[in-house]
Amino acid sequence: MGHDHGVTATGRHRGILAAVLGISVVIFAVEVVGAIRTGSLALLADAGHVLADAGGVALALGATLLAARPASGRRTFGWARAEILAAALNGLILSGIGVYVFIEGIRRLVDPADVEPGGMALFGVIGLVGNLAGVALLYRARTASLNMKGAFLEVATDTATSVGVLLAAGVIALTGFTRADPIVSVLIGVVIVPRAGKLLRESLSILLETAPAHVDLDRIRDHLTGLDHVLDVHDLHVLTVTSGLPVLSAHVVVDDSCFHDGHAPQLLDAMQTCLTGHFDVEHSTFQLEPAGHADHEHPTHR
């Protein structure tokens, strides 16, 4: 059974993703410079949020590039797992940014720092314009795939946080209430930290080869044993190589007749069709064996 699915829906929009990633990197750099020059924590928090979403776009883009690279004798799944390593690193960086924003935000609420509202507004406008450009690029492609939809929602959220920075700058300019800056930054931190935690949990789960959350091993076993000639299923494993690529392996005990009358290939097709149709698992490997074979296997296979 072949597993080459050609160019994905996300892959057909690589150019858009690359452009949005470039815009996000520029916004991040501009807002970091703006935070340093104006003393605005909200700008720095927004830069961290942009970094989070740029990481998401980069992972979507990287997944399409890595998926196009062929497997080799040493890397039998190609470079697909590199996406998960990048996600884990992104989660660690974002966690650090989120913690810093919270700590510094609370400190500034107690002891407000001077903020230059004019410069803060200027850099905020630059961020807002860049995010609106990203939204415009992704709008038409947002329904092409889950990755494209995710990228659109991330950039749209960045646009909202940029508006928050501008509102904080306006409040400071009109009222002198400098605590508006740390208040907005803490609110942005509330968005960053849960996302960083989820990214870390999901990436570590994949690296530890935990079964995907949407896969129920008992249901898979029930479906497979419900097929004609299948007597038992053991040594069942499901893991995720990278986002959207679950793989399954199992030892399947079948009637002895399967090895004599030639219908083992049809049974193999039926099992793979069952997994693809009911569980969205397209990459599967089965070892067909007669009853009693498990008695000769190593205990780890039982």
Side-chain angles (χ1 to χ4, degrees), residues 28-93:
F28 171 75
V30 167
E31 291 194 331
V32 168
V33 171
I36 295 171
R37 290 178 62 89
T38 66
S40 170
L41 183 61
L43 272 175
L44 183 61
D46 193 41
H49 191 255
V50 170
L51 178 63
D53 294 337
V57 174
L59 290 175
L61 179 61
T64 67
L65 297 175
L66 292 171
R69 299 193 64 170
S72 67
R74 289 180 58 83
R75 297 184 178 89
T76 55
F77 280 102
W79 290 80
R81 186 54 68 88
E83 179 195 358
I84 304 305
L85 293 174
L89 178 60
N90 191 20
L92 286 172
I93 293 173

Side-chain angles (χ1 to χ4, degrees), residues 15 21 23 72 89 108 150 231 251:
L21 179 59
I23 291 171
S72 67
L89 178 60
R108 290 197 184 192
L231 304 178
H251 290 209

Side-chain angles (χ1 to χ4, degrees), residues 27-167:
I27 294 173
F28 171 75
V30 167
E31 291 194 331
V32 168
V33 171
I36 295 171
R37 290 178 62 89
T38 66
S40 170
L41 183 61
L43 272 175
L44 183 61
D46 193 41
H49 191 255
V50 170
L51 178 63
D53 294 337
V57 174
L59 290 175
L61 179 61
T64 67
L65 297 175
L66 292 171
R69 299 193 64 170
S72 67
R74 289 180 58 83
R75 297 184 178 89
T76 55
F77 280 102
W79 290 80
R81 186 54 68 88
E83 179 195 358
I84 304 305
L85 293 174
L89 178 60
N90 191 20
L92 286 172
I93 293 173
L94 293 179
S95 295
I97 291 173
V99 170
Y100 171 78
V101 166
F102 270 120
I103 294 174
E104 184 65 10
I106 292 171
R107 189 188 70 80
R108 290 197 184 192
L109 284 172
V110 176
D111 183 19
D114 291 333
V115 178
E116 182 188 338
M120 181 180 173
L122 174 62
F123 285 105
V125 167
I126 294 173
L128 177 60
V129 171
N131 285 320
L132 287 173
V135 167
L137 285 171
L138 289 166
Y139 182 77
R140 292 186 64 183
R142 72 190 188 284
T143 59
S145 70
L146 287 176
N147 274 335
M148 295 304 295
K149 180 180 180 180
F152 173 77
L153 292 175
E154 287 166 351
V155 177
T157 304
D158 281 337
T159 303
T161 56
S162 292
V163 172
V165 171
L166 290 176
L167 289 175

Side-chain angles (χ1 to χ4, degrees), residues 258-278:
C258 293
F259 301 102
H260 304 298
D261 60 14
H263 67 258
Q266 289 79 13
L267 178 58
L268 185 61
D269 286 343
M271 290 190 293
Q272 290 179 326
T273 300
C274 172
L275 289 178
T276 303
H278 292 99

Side-chain angles (χ1 to χ4, degrees), residues 277-294:
H278 292 99
F279 302 101
D280 293 327
V281 177
E282 298 186 11
H283 199 294
S284 56
T285 304
F286 295 105
Q287 175 174 305
L288 302 183
E289 57 190 43
H293 178 78

